[in-house]
Amino acid sequence: MPDLLEVATEPTRRALLRLLAAGEKTVTELSANFPVSRSAISQHLLLLSDVGLVSARKDGRNRYYGLDSSGMVRLREQFDSFWTNELDLLVADAGRLRPPSRQGKN
């Protein structure tokens, strides 16, 4: 299965997620915002669906895509975990770079 963060951070897919945050849209509505074909947008949506970030529902001839709330929660948790780990590493690095204190010298 593809990595959730990797899938979500690709620029076109990130833009699709932003557009879907406003509500459900069809591939045609979404593709109007990009210089690529509807087929290319469909492929991006399929990948977003595969990792659980979007879901689709069929209504007549149209398929409507929307954000999957549980997938978005998982994405948020991964971002939070990533930044927590990165900040912990930064603090540890800063501690190693700190010059020794000059105790007892005035």
Coordinates of all heavy atoms in Angstrom, one line a residue:
M1 N 0.8 -1.2 0.0 CA 0.0 0.0 0.0 C 0.9 1.2 0.0 O 1.9 1.3 0.7 CB -0.9 0.0 1.2 CG -1.8 1.2 1.3 SD -2.9 1.2 2.7 CE -4.4 1.2 1.9
P2 N 0.5 2.2 -0.8 CA 1.3 3.5 -0.8 C 1.3 4.2 0.5 O 0.4 4.1 1.3 CB 0.6 4.3 -1.9 CG -0.3 3.4 -2.6 CD -0.6 2.3 -1.7
D3 N 2.4 4.9 0.8 CA 2.5 5.7 2.0 C 1.5 6.9 2.0 O 1.4 7.6 1.0 CB 3.9 6.2 2.1 CG 4.1 7.1 3.3 OD1 4.3 6.5 4.4 OD2 4.2 8.3 3.2
L4 N 0.8 7.0 3.1 CA -0.3 8.0 3.2 C 0.3 9.4 3.0 O -0.3 10.2 2.3 CB -1.0 7.9 4.6 CG -2.2 8.7 4.8 CD1 -3.3 8.4 3.9 CD2 -2.6 8.5 6.3
L5 N 1.4 9.8 3.7 CA 1.9 11.1 3.6 C 2.4 11.4 2.2 O 2.3 12.5 1.7 CB 3.1 11.3 4.6 CG 2.7 11.5 6.1 CD1 3.9 11.5 7.0 CD2 1.8 12.7 6.2
E6 N 3.1 10.4 1.6 CA 3.6 10.5 0.3 C 2.5 10.8 -0.7 O 2.6 11.7 -1.6 CB 4.4 9.3 -0.2 CG 5.1 9.4 -1.5 CD 5.9 8.2 -1.8 OE1 6.2 7.4 -0.9 OE2 6.1 8.0 -3.0
V7 N 1.4 10.1 -0.6 CA 0.3 10.3 -1.5 C -0.3 11.7 -1.3 O -0.6 12.4 -2.3 CB -0.8 9.2 -1.3 CG1 -2.1 9.5 -2.0 CG2 -0.3 7.8 -1.7
A8 N -0.5 12.1 -0.1 CA -1.2 13.3 0.2 C -0.4 14.6 -0.1 O -0.9 15.6 -0.4 CB -1.6 13.4 1.7
T9 N 0.9 14.4 -0.1 CA 1.8 15.6 -0.3 C 2.1 15.9 -1.8 O 2.7 17.0 -2.1 CB 3.1 15.5 0.5 OG1 3.8 14.4 0.1 CG2 2.8 15.5 2.0
E10 N 1.8 15.0 -2.7 CA 2.0 15.3 -4.1 C 1.1 16.5 -4.5 O 0.0 16.6 -4.1 CB 1.6 14.1 -4.9 CG 2.1 14.1 -6.4 CD 1.1 15.0 -7.3 OE1 -0.1 15.0 -7.0 OE2 1.6 15.5 -8.2
P11 N 1.7 17.5 -5.2 CA 1.0 18.8 -5.4 C -0.4 18.7 -6.0 O -1.3 19.4 -5.5 CB 1.9 19.6 -6.3 CG 3.3 19.1 -6.0 CD 3.1 17.6 -5.7
T12 N -0.6 17.9 -7.0 CA -2.0 17.8 -7.6 C -2.9 17.2 -6.6 O -4.1 17.6 -6.4 CB -1.9 17.0 -8.9 OG1 -1.1 17.6 -9.8 CG2 -3.3 16.8 -9.5
R13 N -2.5 16.1 -5.9 CA -3.4 15.5 -4.9 C -3.7 16.4 -3.7 O -4.8 16.4 -3.2 CB -2.8 14.1 -4.5 CG -2.8 13.1 -5.7 CD -2.5 11.7 -5.2 NE -1.1 11.6 -4.9 CZ -0.1 11.2 -5.8 NH1 -0.5 10.9 -7.1 NH2 1.1 11.0 -5.4
R14 N -2.7 17.1 -3.3 CA -2.9 18.1 -2.2 C -3.9 19.1 -2.6 O -4.8 19.5 -1.9 CB -1.5 18.8 -1.9 CG -1.5 19.3 -0.5 CD -0.1 19.8 -0.1 NE 0.4 20.8 -1.0 CZ 1.6 20.7 -1.7 NH1 2.4 19.7 -1.6 NH2 2.0 21.7 -2.5
A15 N -3.9 19.6 -3.9 CA -4.9 20.5 -4.4 C -6.2 19.9 -4.4 O -7.2 20.6 -4.1 CB -4.4 21.1 -5.7
L16 N -6.3 18.7 -4.8 CA -7.6 17.9 -4.9 C -8.2 17.9 -3.5 O -9.4 18.1 -3.3 CB -7.4 16.5 -5.5 CG -7.2 16.5 -7.0 CD1 -6.8 15.1 -7.4 CD2 -8.5 16.9 -7.7
L17 N -7.4 17.6 -2.5 CA -7.9 17.5 -1.1 C -8.4 18.8 -0.7 O -9.5 18.9 0.0 CB -6.8 17.0 -0.2 CG -6.3 15.5 -0.4 CD1 -5.1 15.2 0.5 CD2 -7.5 14.6 0.0
R18 N -7.7 19.9 -1.0 CA -8.2 21.2 -0.7 C -9.5 21.5 -1.3 O -10.4 22.1 -0.7 CB -7.2 22.3 -1.1 CG -6.1 22.6 0.0 CD -5.4 23.8 -0.3 NE -4.0 23.5 -0.4 CZ -3.2 23.5 -1.4 NH1 -3.6 23.8 -2.6 NH2 -1.9 23.1 -1.3
L19 N -9.7 21.2 -2.6 CA -11.0 21.4 -3.3 C -12.1 20.6 -2.7 O -13.2 21.1 -2.5 CB -10.8 21.1 -4.8 CG -10.0 22.0 -5.6 CD1 -9.6 21.4 -7.0 CD2 -10.7 23.4 -5.8
L20 N -11.8 19.4 -2.3 CA -12.8 18.5 -1.7 C -13.2 18.9 -0.3 O -14.2 18.5 0.2 CB -12.4 17.0 -1.8 CG -12.3 16.5 -3.2 CD1 -11.6 15.1 -3.2 CD2 -13.7 16.4 -3.8
A21 N -12.3 19.7 0.3 CA -12.7 20.2 1.7 C -13.9 21.0 1.7 O -14.6 21.1 2.7 CB -11.5 20.9 2.3
A22 N -14.2 21.6 0.5 CA -15.4 22.5 0.4 C -16.7 21.6 0.2 O -17.8 22.2 0.2 CB -15.2 23.5 -0.7
G23 N -16.5 20.3 -0.1 CA -17.7 19.5 -0.4 C -17.4 18.6 -1.6 O -16.4 18.7 -2.3
E24 N -18.4 17.7 -1.8 CA -18.3 16.7 -2.8 C -18.2 17.4 -4.2 O -18.9 18.4 -4.4 CB -19.5 15.8 -2.8 CG -19.6 14.8 -1.7 CD -20.7 13.9 -1.8 OE1 -21.8 14.3 -2.3 OE2 -20.6 12.7 -1.4
K25 N -17.5 16.7 -5.1 CA -17.4 17.2 -6.5 C -17.2 16.0 -7.4 O -16.7 15.0 -7.0 CB -16.2 18.2 -6.6 CG -16.3 19.4 -5.8 CD -15.3 20.4 -6.1 CE -15.4 21.7 -5.4 NZ -16.3 21.9 -4.3
T26 N -17.6 16.2 -8.7 CA -17.4 15.2 -9.7 C -16.0 15.4 -10.3 O -15.3 16.4 -10.1 CB -18.4 15.3 -10.8 OG1 -18.2 16.6 -11.5 CG2 -19.8 15.2 -10.3
V27 N -15.5 14.4 -11.0 CA -14.2 14.5 -11.7 C -14.2 15.6 -12.6 O -13.2 16.4 -12.8 CB -13.9 13.1 -12.4 CG1 -12.7 13.3 -13.3 CG2 -13.8 12.0 -11.5
T28 N -15.3 15.9 -13.3 CA -15.4 17.0 -14.3 C -15.3 18.3 -13.6 O -14.5 19.2 -14.0 CB -16.8 17.0 -15.0 OG1 -16.9 15.7 -15.7 CG2 -16.9 18.1 -16.0
E29 N -15.9 18.5 -12.4 CA -15.8 19.7 -11.6 C -14.3 19.9 -11.2 O -13.8 21.0 -11.2 CB -16.7 19.7 -10.5 CG -18.2 19.8 -10.8 CD -19.1 19.5 -9.7 OE1 -18.8 18.7 -8.8 OE2 -20.2 20.2 -9.6
L30 N -13.8 18.8 -10.7 CA -12.4 18.9 -10.2 C -11.4 19.2 -11.3 O -10.5 20.0 -11.2 CB -12.0 17.6 -9.5 CG -12.7 17.3 -8.1 CD1 -12.6 15.9 -7.7 CD2 -12.3 18.3 -7.1
S31 N -11.5 18.5 -12.4 CA -10.6 18.6 -13.5 C -10.6 20.0 -14.1 O -9.6 20.4 -14.7 CB -10.8 17.5 -14.6 OG -12.0 17.7 -15.2
A32 N -11.7 20.8 -14.0 CA -11.7 22.1 -14.5 C -10.7 23.0 -13.8 O -10.3 24.1 -14.3 CB -13.1 22.7 -14.3
N33 N -10.1 22.6 -12.7 CA -9.1 23.4 -12.0 C -7.7 23.0 -12.3 O -6.8 23.6 -11.7 CB -9.3 23.1 -10.4 CG -10.7 23.7 -10.0 OD1 -10.8 24.8 -9.7 ND2 -11.6 22.8 -9.8
F34 N -7.5 22.1 -13.2 CA -6.1 21.6 -13.6 C -5.9 21.6 -15.1 O -6.8 21.4 -15.8 CB -6.0 20.2 -13.0 CG -6.1 20.1 -11.5 CD1 -7.4 19.8 -10.9 CD2 -5.1 20.3 -10.7 CE1 -7.5 19.7 -9.6 CE2 -5.2 20.3 -9.3 CZ -6.5 20.0 -8.7
P35 N -4.6 21.7 -15.4 CA -4.3 21.7 -16.9 C -4.1 20.3 -17.4 O -3.5 20.1 -18.5 CB -3.0 22.5 -16.9 CG -2.3 22.2 -15.6 CD -3.5 22.1 -14.6
V36 N -4.5 19.3 -16.7 CA -4.4 17.9 -17.1 C -5.8 17.3 -17.4 O -6.8 17.9 -17.1 CB -3.7 17.0 -16.0 CG1 -2.3 17.5 -15.8 CG2 -4.5 17.0 -14.7
S37 N -5.8 16.1 -18.0 CA -7.0 15.5 -18.4 C -7.9 15.0 -17.3 O -7.3 14.8 -16.1 CB -6.7 14.3 -19.4 OG -6.1 13.3 -18.6
R38 N -9.1 14.7 -17.5 CA -10.0 14.1 -16.5 C -9.5 12.8 -16.1 O -9.6 12.4 -15.0 CB -11.4 14.0 -17.1 CG -12.2 15.2 -17.0 CD -13.7 15.0 -17.2 NE -13.9 14.0 -18.3 CZ -14.9 14.0 -19.1 NH1 -15.8 15.0 -19.1 NH2 -15.0 13.1 -20.0
S39 N -8.9 12.1 -17.1 CA -8.3 10.7 -16.8 C -7.2 10.8 -15.8 O -7.1 10.0 -14.9 CB -7.8 10.1 -18.1 OG -7.2 8.9 -17.9
A40 N -6.4 11.8 -15.9 CA -5.3 12.0 -15.0 C -5.8 12.3 -13.6 O -5.3 11.8 -12.6 CB -4.3 13.1 -15.5
I41 N -6.8 13.2 -13.5 CA -7.5 13.5 -12.2 C -8.1 12.2 -11.6 O -8.0 12.0 -10.4 CB -8.5 14.6 -12.4 CG1 -7.8 15.9 -12.8 CG2 -9.3 14.9 -11.1 CD1 -6.7 16.4 -11.9
S42 N -8.7 11.4 -12.5 CA -9.3 10.2 -12.0 C -8.2 9.3 -11.4 O -8.5 8.6 -10.4 CB -10.0 9.4 -13.2 OG -11.1 10.1 -13.6
Q43 N -7.1 9.2 -12.0 CA -6.0 8.4 -11.5 C -5.5 8.9 -10.1 O -5.3 8.1 -9.2 CB -4.8 8.4 -12.4 CG -5.1 7.6 -13.7 CD -5.4 6.1 -13.4 OE1 -4.7 5.5 -12.7 NE2 -6.5 5.7 -14.0
H44 N -5.4 10.2 -10.0 CA -5.1 10.8 -8.7 C -6.2 10.5 -7.6 O -5.8 10.1 -6.5 CB -4.9 12.3 -8.8 CG -3.7 12.8 -9.4 ND1 -2.4 12.6 -8.8 CD2 -3.4 13.4 -10.6 CE1 -1.5 13.1 -9.6 NE2 -2.1 13.6 -10.7
L45 N -7.4 10.6 -8.0 CA -8.5 10.3 -7.1 C -8.5 8.8 -6.7 O -8.8 8.5 -5.5 CB -9.9 10.7 -7.7 CG -10.1 12.2 -7.8 CD1 -11.3 12.4 -8.7 CD2 -10.3 12.8 -6.5
L46 N -8.2 7.9 -7.6 CA -8.1 6.5 -7.3 C -7.0 6.2 -6.3 O -7.3 5.5 -5.3 CB -7.8 5.7 -8.6 CG -7.7 4.2 -8.5 CD1 -9.0 3.6 -7.9 CD2 -7.3 3.6 -9.8
L47 N -5.9 6.9 -6.4 CA -4.8 6.7 -5.4 C -5.2 7.3 -4.1 O -5.0 6.6 -3.0 CB -3.5 7.4 -5.9 CG -2.3 7.0 -5.2 CD1 -2.1 5.6 -5.0 CD2 -1.1 7.7 -5.9
L48 N -5.9 8.4 -4.1 CA -6.4 9.0 -2.8 C -7.4 8.1 -2.2 O -7.5 7.9 -0.9 CB -7.0 10.4 -3.1 CG -6.0 11.5 -3.3 CD1 -6.7 12.7 -3.9 CD2 -5.1 11.8 -2.1
S49 N -8.2 7.5 -3.0 CA -9.2 6.5 -2.5 C -8.5 5.2 -2.0 O -8.9 4.7 -0.9 CB -10.2 6.2 -3.6 OG -11.1 5.2 -3.2
D50 N -7.5 4.8 -2.6 CA -6.8 3.6 -2.2 C -6.2 3.7 -0.8 O -6.1 2.7 -0.1 CB -5.7 3.2 -3.2 CG -6.2 2.6 -4.5 OD1 -7.4 2.2 -4.6 OD2 -5.4 2.5 -5.4
V51 N -5.7 4.9 -0.5 CA -5.2 5.1 0.9 C -6.2 5.6 1.9 O -5.9 5.9 3.0 CB -4.0 6.1 0.9 CG1 -2.8 5.5 0.0 CG2 -4.4 7.5 0.4
G52 N -7.5 5.7 1.4 CA -8.6 6.1 2.4 C -8.8 7.5 2.6 O -9.4 7.9 3.6
L53 N -8.2 8.4 1.8 CA -8.4 9.9 2.0 C -9.7 10.4 1.4 O -10.2 11.4 1.8 CB -7.2 10.6 1.5 CG -5.9 10.4 2.3 CD1 -4.7 11.1 1.7 CD2 -6.1 10.8 3.8
V54 N -10.1 9.8 0.3 CA -11.4 10.2 -0.3 C -12.3 9.0 -0.5 O -11.8 7.8 -0.6 CB -11.2 10.9 -1.7 CG1 -10.3 12.2 -1.5 CG2 -10.6 10.0 -2.7
S55 N -13.5 9.2 -0.7 CA -14.5 8.2 -1.0 C -15.4 8.7 -2.1 O -15.4 9.9 -2.4 CB -15.4 7.9 0.2 OG -16.0 9.0 0.7
A56 N -16.0 7.8 -2.8 CA -16.9 8.1 -3.9 C -18.2 7.5 -3.7 O -18.4 6.4 -3.1 CB -16.2 7.6 -5.2
R57 N -19.2 8.2 -4.2 CA -20.6 7.7 -4.3 C -21.2 8.0 -5.6 O -20.9 9.0 -6.3 CB -21.4 8.3 -3.2 CG -21.8 9.7 -3.4 CD -22.8 10.2 -2.3 NE -23.1 11.6 -2.6 CZ -24.0 12.1 -3.4 NH1 -24.7 11.2 -4.1 NH2 -24.2 13.4 -3.6
K58 N -21.9 7.0 -6.1 CA -22.5 7.1 -7.4 C -23.9 7.6 -7.3 O -24.7 7.2 -6.4 CB -22.5 5.8 -8.1 CG -22.8 5.8 -9.6 CD -22.0 4.8 -10.3 CE -22.4 4.6 -11.8 NZ -21.9 5.6 -12.6
D59 N -24.3 8.6 -8.1 CA -25.7 9.1 -8.2 C -26.0 9.3 -9.6 O -25.5 10.2 -10.3 CB -25.7 10.5 -7.4 CG -27.1 11.0 -7.3 OD1 -28.1 10.3 -7.7 OD2 -27.3 12.2 -6.9
G60 N -26.8 8.3 -10.2 CA -27.1 8.4 -11.6 C -25.9 8.1 -12.4 O -25.1 7.1 -12.1
R61 N -25.6 9.0 -13.3 CA -24.4 8.8 -14.2 C -23.2 9.5 -13.5 O -22.1 9.3 -14.0 CB -24.6 9.5 -15.5 CG -25.7 8.8 -16.3 CD -25.9 9.4 -17.7 NE -25.2 10.7 -17.9 CZ -25.2 11.4 -19.0 NH1 -26.0 11.0 -20.0 NH2 -24.6 12.5 -19.1
N62 N -23.3 10.2 -12.5 CA -22.2 10.9 -11.8 C -21.7 10.1 -10.6 O -22.4 9.5 -9.9 CB -22.6 12.3 -11.4 CG -22.9 13.2 -12.6 OD1 -22.2 13.2 -13.5 ND2 -24.0 13.9 -12.5
R63 N -20.4 10.3 -10.5 CA -19.7 9.8 -9.3 C -19.2 11.0 -8.6 O -18.4 11.8 -9.1 CB -18.5 8.9 -9.7 CG -17.8 8.3 -8.5 CD -16.7 7.3 -9.0 NE -17.3 6.2 -9.7 CZ -17.7 5.0 -9.1 NH1 -17.6 4.9 -7.8 NH2 -18.2 4.1 -9.9
Y64 N -19.6 11.1 -7.3 CA -19.2 12.3 -6.5 C -18.1 11.8 -5.5 O -18.2 10.8 -4.8 CB -20.4 12.8 -5.7 CG -21.4 13.5 -6.6 CD1 -22.4 12.7 -7.2 CD2 -21.3 14.8 -6.9 CE1 -23.3 13.3 -8.0 CE2 -22.2 15.4 -7.7 CZ -23.2 14.7 -8.3 OH -24.1 15.3 -9.1
Y65 N -17.0 12.6 -5.5 CA -15.9 12.4 -4.6 C -15.9 13.3 -3.4 O -16.3 14.5 -3.6 CB -14.6 12.5 -5.3 CG -14.3 11.4 -6.3 CD1 -14.8 11.5 -7.6 CD2 -13.7 10.3 -5.9 CE1 -14.6 10.5 -8.5 CE2 -13.5 9.2 -6.8 CZ -14.0 9.4 -8.1 OH -13.8 8.3 -9.0
G66 N -15.6 12.8 -2.2 CA -15.5 13.7 -1.0 C -14.4 13.2 -0.1 O -13.9 12.1 -0.3
L67 N -14.1 14.0 0.8 CA -13.1 13.6 1.8 C -13.6 12.5 2.7 O -14.8 12.5 3.1 CB -12.7 14.8 2.7 CG -12.0 15.9 2.0 CD1 -11.6 17.0 3.0 CD2 -10.7 15.4 1.3
D68 N -12.8 11.5 3.0 CA -13.1 10.5 4.0 C -12.6 10.9 5.3 O -11.4 11.1 5.5 CB -12.5 9.1 3.5 CG -12.9 8.0 4.4 OD1 -12.7 8.1 5.7 OD2 -13.3 7.0 3.9
S69 N -13.6 11.2 6.3 CA -13.2 11.8 7.5 C -12.2 10.9 8.3 O -11.3 11.4 9.0 CB -14.4 12.1 8.4 OG -15.2 10.9 8.6
S70 N -12.4 9.6 8.3 CA -11.5 8.7 9.1 C -10.1 8.7 8.4 O -9.1 8.7 9.1 CB -12.0 7.3 9.2 OG -12.1 6.7 7.9
G71 N -10.0 8.8 7.1 CA -8.7 8.9 6.5 C -8.0 10.2 6.8 O -6.8 10.2 7.0
M72 N -8.8 11.3 6.8 CA -8.2 12.6 7.1 C -7.7 12.6 8.6 O -6.7 13.2 8.9 CB -9.2 13.7 6.9 CG -9.6 13.8 5.4 SD -8.2 14.0 4.3 CE -7.7 15.6 4.7
V73 N -8.4 11.9 9.5 CA -7.9 11.8 10.9 C -6.6 11.1 10.9 O -5.6 11.5 11.6 CB -9.0 11.1 11.8 CG1 -8.4 10.7 13.1 CG2 -10.2 12.0 12.0
R74 N -6.5 10.0 10.2 CA -5.2 9.2 10.1 C -4.1 10.1 9.6 O -3.0 10.1 10.0 CB -5.4 8.0 9.3 CG -6.1 6.8 10.0 CD -6.1 5.5 9.2 NE -6.6 5.7 7.8 CZ -5.9 5.5 6.7 NH1 -4.6 5.2 6.8 NH2 -6.4 5.7 5.5
L75 N -4.4 10.9 8.5 CA -3.4 11.8 7.9 C -2.9 12.8 9.0 O -1.7 13.0 9.1 CB -4.0 12.5 6.7 CG -3.1 13.5 6.0 CD1 -1.8 12.8 5.5 CD2 -3.8 14.1 4.9
R76 N -3.9 13.4 9.7 CA -3.5 14.4 10.7 C -2.7 13.7 11.8 O -1.7 14.3 12.2 CB -4.8 14.9 11.3 CG -4.6 15.9 12.5 CD -3.8 17.1 12.0 NE -3.5 18.0 13.0 CZ -3.9 19.2 13.1 NH1 -4.7 19.8 12.2 NH2 -3.5 20.0 14.1
E77 N -3.0 12.5 12.2 CA -2.2 11.8 13.2 C -0.8 11.6 12.7 O 0.2 11.7 13.5 CB -2.8 10.5 13.6 CG -4.1 10.7 14.4 CD -4.9 9.4 14.6 OE1 -4.6 8.4 13.9 OE2 -5.8 9.4 15.4
Q78 N -0.6 11.2 11.4 CA 0.7 11.0 10.9 C 1.5 12.3 10.8 O 2.7 12.3 11.1 CB 0.6 10.3 9.5 CG 0.3 8.9 9.6 CD 0.7 8.1 8.3 OE1 1.3 8.6 7.4 NE2 0.3 6.9 8.3
F79 N 0.8 13.4 10.4 CA 1.5 14.7 10.4 C 2.0 15.1 11.8 O 3.1 15.5 12.0 CB 0.6 15.8 9.8 CG 0.7 15.9 8.3 CD1 -0.4 15.8 7.6 CD2 1.9 16.2 7.7 CE1 -0.4 15.9 6.2 CE2 2.0 16.4 6.3 CZ 0.9 16.2 5.6
D80 N 1.1 14.9 12.8 CA 1.4 15.2 14.2 C 2.6 14.4 14.7 O 3.5 14.9 15.3 CB 0.2 15.1 15.1 CG -0.9 16.1 14.8 OD1 -0.6 17.1 14.2 OD2 -2.0 15.9 15.3
S81 N 2.5 13.1 14.4 CA 3.6 12.2 14.8 C 4.9 12.6 14.1 O 6.0 12.6 14.7 CB 3.3 10.8 14.4 OG 4.3 9.9 14.7
F82 N 4.9 12.9 12.8 CA 6.1 13.3 12.1 C 6.7 14.5 12.7 O 7.9 14.6 13.0 CB 5.7 13.6 10.6 CG 6.8 14.2 9.8 CD1 7.8 13.4 9.3 CD2 6.9 15.6 9.6 CE1 8.9 14.0 8.6 CE2 7.9 16.1 8.9 CZ 8.9 15.3 8.4
W83 N 5.9 15.6 13.0 CA 6.4 16.8 13.5 C 6.9 16.6 15.0 O 8.0 17.2 15.3 CB 5.4 17.9 13.4 CG 5.3 18.4 12.0 CD1 4.3 18.4 11.2 CD2 6.4 19.0 11.3 NE1 4.6 18.9 10.0 CE2 5.9 19.3 10.0 CE3 7.7 19.4 11.5 CZ2 6.6 19.9 9.0 CZ3 8.5 19.9 10.5 CH2 7.9 20.2 9.3
T84 N 6.3 15.8 15.8 CA 6.7 15.6 17.1 C 8.1 14.9 17.1 O 9.0 15.3 17.8 CB 5.7 14.7 17.9 OG1 4.4 15.4 17.9 CG2 6.2 14.3 19.3
N85 N 8.2 13.9 16.2 CA 9.5 13.2 16.1 C 10.6 14.1 15.6 O 11.7 14.1 16.1 CB 9.4 12.0 15.2 CG 8.5 10.9 15.7 OD1 8.3 10.8 16.9 ND2 8.0 10.0 14.9
E86 N 10.3 14.9 14.6 CA 11.3 15.9 14.0 C 11.7 16.9 15.1 O 12.9 17.2 15.2 CB 10.7 16.5 12.8 CG 10.6 15.6 11.6 CD 12.0 15.0 11.2 OE1 12.9 15.7 11.0 OE2 12.0 13.8 11.0
L87 N 10.7 17.4 15.8 CA 11.1 18.4 16.9 C 11.9 17.8 18.0 O 12.8 18.4 18.5 CB 9.8 19.0 17.4 CG 9.1 20.0 16.5 CD1 7.8 20.4 17.1 CD2 10.0 21.2 16.1
D88 N 11.6 16.5 18.3 CA 12.4 15.8 19.3 C 13.9 15.7 18.9 O 14.8 15.9 19.6 CB 11.9 14.5 19.7 CG 10.6 14.5 20.5 OD1 10.3 15.6 21.0 OD2 9.9 13.5 20.5
L89 N 14.1 15.4 17.6 CA 15.4 15.2 17.0 C 16.1 16.6 17.0 O 17.3 16.7 17.3 CB 15.3 14.6 15.6 CG 14.9 13.2 15.5 CD1 14.7 12.8 14.0 CD2 16.0 12.3 16.1
L90 N 15.4 17.6 16.7 CA 16.0 19.0 16.6 C 16.4 19.4 18.0 O 17.5 19.9 18.2 CB 14.9 20.0 16.1 CG 15.4 21.4 15.9 CD1 16.6 21.5 15.0 CD2 14.2 22.3 15.5
V91 N 15.6 19.1 19.0 CA 16.0 19.5 20.4 C 17.2 18.7 20.8 O 18.2 19.2 21.4 CB 14.8 19.2 21.4 CG1 15.3 19.3 22.8 CG2 13.7 20.2 21.1
A92 N 17.3 17.4 20.5 CA 18.5 16.6 20.8 C 19.7 17.1 20.1 O 20.8 17.2 20.7 CB 18.2 15.1 20.4
D93 N 19.6 17.5 18.8 CA 20.7 18.0 18.1 C 21.2 19.3 18.7 O 22.4 19.6 18.8 CB 20.3 18.3 16.6 CG 20.3 17.0 15.8 OD1 20.7 15.9 16.3 OD2 19.7 17.0 14.7
A94 N 20.2 20.2 19.1 CA 20.6 21.5 19.7 C 21.3 21.2 21.0 O 22.3 21.9 21.3 CB 19.3 22.3 19.9
G95 N 20.9 20.2 21.7 CA 21.6 19.9 23.0 C 23.0 19.5 22.8 O 23.9 19.8 23.6
R96 N 23.3 18.8 21.7 CA 24.6 18.3 21.4 C 25.5 19.4 20.9 O 26.7 19.4 21.1 CB 24.6 17.2 20.4 CG 24.1 15.9 21.0 CD 24.4 14.7 20.0 NE 23.6 14.8 18.8 CZ 22.4 14.3 18.7 NH1 21.8 13.7 19.7 NH2 21.7 14.4 17.6
L97 N 24.9 20.4 20.3 CA 25.7 21.6 19.8 C 25.9 22.7 20.8 O 26.8 23.5 20.6 CB 24.9 22.2 18.6 CG 24.8 21.2 17.4 CD1 23.9 21.9 16.3 CD2 26.1 20.9 16.8
R98 N 25.3 22.6 21.9 CA 25.4 23.7 23.0 C 26.8 23.6 23.5 O 27.3 22.5 23.9 CB 24.4 23.4 24.1 CG 24.4 24.5 25.1 CD 23.3 24.3 26.1 NE 22.0 24.2 25.4 CZ 21.0 23.6 25.9 NH1 21.0 23.1 27.1 NH2 19.9 23.5 25.2
P99 N 27.5 24.7 23.6 CA 28.9 24.7 24.1 C 28.8 24.4 25.6 O 27.8 24.7 26.3 CB 29.4 26.2 23.9 CG 28.1 27.0 23.6 CD 27.1 26.0 23.1
P100 N 29.9 23.8 26.1 CA 29.9 23.5 27.6 C 29.8 24.8 28.4 O 30.3 25.8 28.0 CB 31.2 22.8 27.8 CG 32.0 22.9 26.5 CD 31.1 23.4 25.5
S101 N 29.1 24.7 29.5 CA 28.9 25.9 30.4 C 30.2 26.2 31.0 O 31.1 25.4 31.3 CB 27.8 25.6 31.4 OG 28.2 24.6 32.3
R102 N 30.4 27.5 31.4 CA 31.6 27.9 32.0 C 31.3 28.2 33.5 O 31.4 29.3 34.0 CB 32.1 29.2 31.3 CG 32.2 29.0 29.8 CD 32.5 30.3 29.2 NE 34.0 30.4 29.0 CZ 34.7 31.4 28.6 NH1 34.0 32.6 28.4 NH2 36.0 31.4 28.5
Q103 N 31.0 27.1 34.2 CA 30.7 27.2 35.6 C 31.9 27.6 36.4 O 33.0 27.1 36.2 CB 30.1 25.9 36.2 CG 28.8 25.6 35.5 CD 28.3 24.2 36.0 OE1 29.1 23.4 36.5 NE2 27.0 24.0 35.9
G104 N 31.7 28.4 37.5 CA 32.8 28.8 38.4 C 33.7 29.9 37.8 O 34.6 30.3 38.5
K105 N 33.5 30.4 36.6 CA 34.4 31.4 36.1 C 33.5 32.7 36.0 O 32.5 32.8 35.4 CB 34.9 31.1 34.7 CG 35.8 29.9 34.7 CD 36.4 29.7 33.4 CE 37.4 28.5 33.4 NZ 38.1 28.3 32.2
N106 N 34.0 33.7 36.7 CA 33.3 35.0 36.6 C 34.2 36.1 36.0 O 35.2 36.3 36.0 CB 33.0 35.5 38.1 CG 31.9 34.6 38.7 OD1 31.2 33.9 37.9 ND2 31.8 34.6 40.0

